[in-house]
Amino acid sequence: KEAFAYMDYKDRTYGHEYEQQSGFPWGRDEIIQQMQQCAHQLIEIGMDEDEIRENLFSSRQIQDLVITKNGDIELAGWLSTTQIKLSPLDKAVYLLFLRHPEGINFSYLPDYREELMEIYKKLMNYRTTASMRKSVEDVTDPTKNSINEKCARIRRAFIDVLGNYLASSYYITGNRGETKKIVLDRKHVRWEYE
């Protein structure tokens, strides 16, 4: 049975034969029925429903990541835009890694302290406090766990919006002791933020 063959067919809903104008030969109900049959087959071979759902929607194109003029992080979808909600420091960490497609090894984070502070200050409307400086020092100190906490929050924020499969292109990732980076192809990043 050729599931997606282009051909004349009898419309089961209205009982008449025609070739659909769009070139796609099935109606909504037939597509849903075919999808359900495929899902049952996938379950039979060991996939769980979450895995099926992720793979079904993984065919969506990667959404553009937009860094707005005020530093908000948004996903520009087909019909709407979704903001990724992060604290200013988490957002500053994310923007630092986004600026560096080659990635950053956590052991070299002290080298990025000033750059991170500049991003953070801009997000905070150029206010600088002792607690801000201390936070940036902590997050760029490879002997502390602060950077791992920030990366975990960033990861969770993207997973909450996109699910595991799609989110993996957007969050900071990398093996322990190796360079960490955001793997998203930068052609999908629009910087409005300066």
Side-chain angles (χ1 to χ4, degrees):
K1 187 175 184 179
E2 293 183 30
F4 295 101
Y6 293 92
M7 59 186 178
D8 289 339
Y9 75 103
K10 185 168 185 163
D11 182 333
R12 293 182 192 124
T13 309
Y14 301 107
H16 63 278
E17 293 183 24
Y18 68 97
E19 186 173 52
Q20 193 171 352
Q21 294 296 323
S22 68
F24 194 77
W26 292 358
R28 178 181 176 271
D29 293 340
E30 287 122 340
I31 294 169
I32 291 170
Q33 182 181 14
Q34 190 69 26
M35 288 173 63
Q36 289 170 339
Q37 289 172 357
C38 290
H40 289 298
Q41 289 173 343
L42 291 170
I43 290 168
E44 286 175 9
I45 62 169
M47 281 182 100
D48 64 32
E49 288 184 25
D50 288 335
E51 196 176 4
I52 293 168
R53 190 174 297 110
E54 280 184 26
N55 281 288
L56 179 63
F57 293 108
S58 70
S59 64
R60 297 186 302 190
Q61 291 181 351
I62 295 290
Q63 296 178 34
D64 283 350
L65 184 71
V66 179
I67 311 304
T68 67
K69 289 179 183 174
N70 62 350
D72 288 334
I73 299 168
E74 297 179 345
L75 293 168
W78 306 285
L79 300 175
S80 65
T81 299
T82 305
Q83 184 175 355
I84 302 297
K85 302 209 184 286
L86 295 169
S87 73
L89 184 55
D90 295 347
K91 196 181 295 184
V93 167
Y94 188 77
L95 295 179
L96 175 69
F97 277 83
L98 197 60
R99 283 182 173 183
H100 293 277
E102 74 282 2
I104 300 171
N105 190 304
F106 284 177
S107 62
Y108 296 114
L109 277 170
D111 297 342
Y112 296 89
R113 187 170 287 150
E114 289 305 313
E115 185 178 355
L116 179 61
M117 188 66 198
E118 288 305 311
I119 296 168
Y120 192 27
K121 281 181 0 187
K122 186 169 182 189
L123 291 170
M124 299 297 289
N125 294 319
Y126 296 99
R127 290 181 326 214
T128 306
T129 65
S131 67
M132 284 173 63
R133 275 192 224 85
K134 173 77 170 114
S135 295
V136 169
E137 285 176 22
D138 287 348
V139 84
T140 55
D141 183 342
T143 65
K144 296 191 175 178
N145 198 41
S146 181
I147 187 64
N148 292 309
E149 292 168 357
K150 304 300 177 265
C151 289
R153 283 193 206 118
I154 291 165
R155 181 177 188 267
R156 175 54 42 206
F158 279 100
I159 289 173
D160 286 348
V161 171
L162 294 170
N164 283 324
Y165 184 83
L166 284 176
S168 64
S169 293
Y170 295 90
Y171 56 71
I172 300 164
T173 188
N175 293 324
R176 186 182 184 102
E178 295 180 6
T179 299
K180 311 287 194 236
K181 63 175 134 182
I182 299 167
V183 297
L184 182 67
D185 188 328
R186 294 314 191 264
K187 73 179 181 184
H188 293 291
V189 178
R190 291 195 327 241
W191 288 91
E192 297 171 357
Y193 184 74
E194 298 176 20

